[in-house]
Amino acid sequence: MRRKSNDSKEYSLQDNVSPAEMRRMRVSMELADAIKNVLTKRNISNRQFADMMGADPSEVRHWLSGTYVFNIGTLYDIAERLGLL
């Protein structure tokens, strides 16, 4: 998305984000989509998933938003509870 600043110079959010950070954001969105796909295929609601994970539903919503940067422990726990390991 492009906007004009007060001094009329155009800028983009991407101008301030490193390529590594862009890749990390893309991977986070892809992981969230993959988890959502598994939940959908297995007919598991977000509430049920939160219960499976021992997490608050708001935390699960954050995970599935695509903005959460997963750590390996969280990914392992998700994969284990969904029987993907």
Side-chain angles (χ1 to χ4, degrees):
M1 176 169 82
R2 292 202 172 270
R3 295 183 181 185
K4 290 193 177 188
S5 64
N6 289 338
D7 63 0
S8 296
K9 291 183 182 177
E10 286 190 10
Y11 69 95
S12 169
L13 179 61
Q14 290 180 347
D15 294 339
N16 297 320
V17 178
S18 71
E21 184 64 21
M22 289 295 291
R23 282 190 302 275
R24 184 164 47 198
M25 290 182 336
R26 187 187 77 247
V27 167
S28 292
M29 287 190 250
E30 290 171 356
L31 286 168
D33 284 342
I35 294 165
K36 285 188 271 188
N37 287 336
V38 170
L39 297 176
T40 298
K41 285 179 184 174
R42 295 183 182 183
N43 201 29
I44 299 171
S45 71
N46 287 1
R47 166 72 73 184
Q48 290 169 319
F49 182 51
D51 290 343
M52 290 170 64
M53 295 300 299
D56 190 87
S58 65
E59 185 176 12
V60 167
R61 278 192 303 277
H62 184 62
W63 294 347
L64 301 179
S65 71
T67 61
Y68 181 81
V69 178
F70 290 95
N71 63 51
I72 192 67
T74 303
L75 287 173
Y76 179 87
D77 291 344
I78 291 169
E80 183 178 53
R81 289 196 180 78
L82 291 175
L84 300 173
L85 295 178

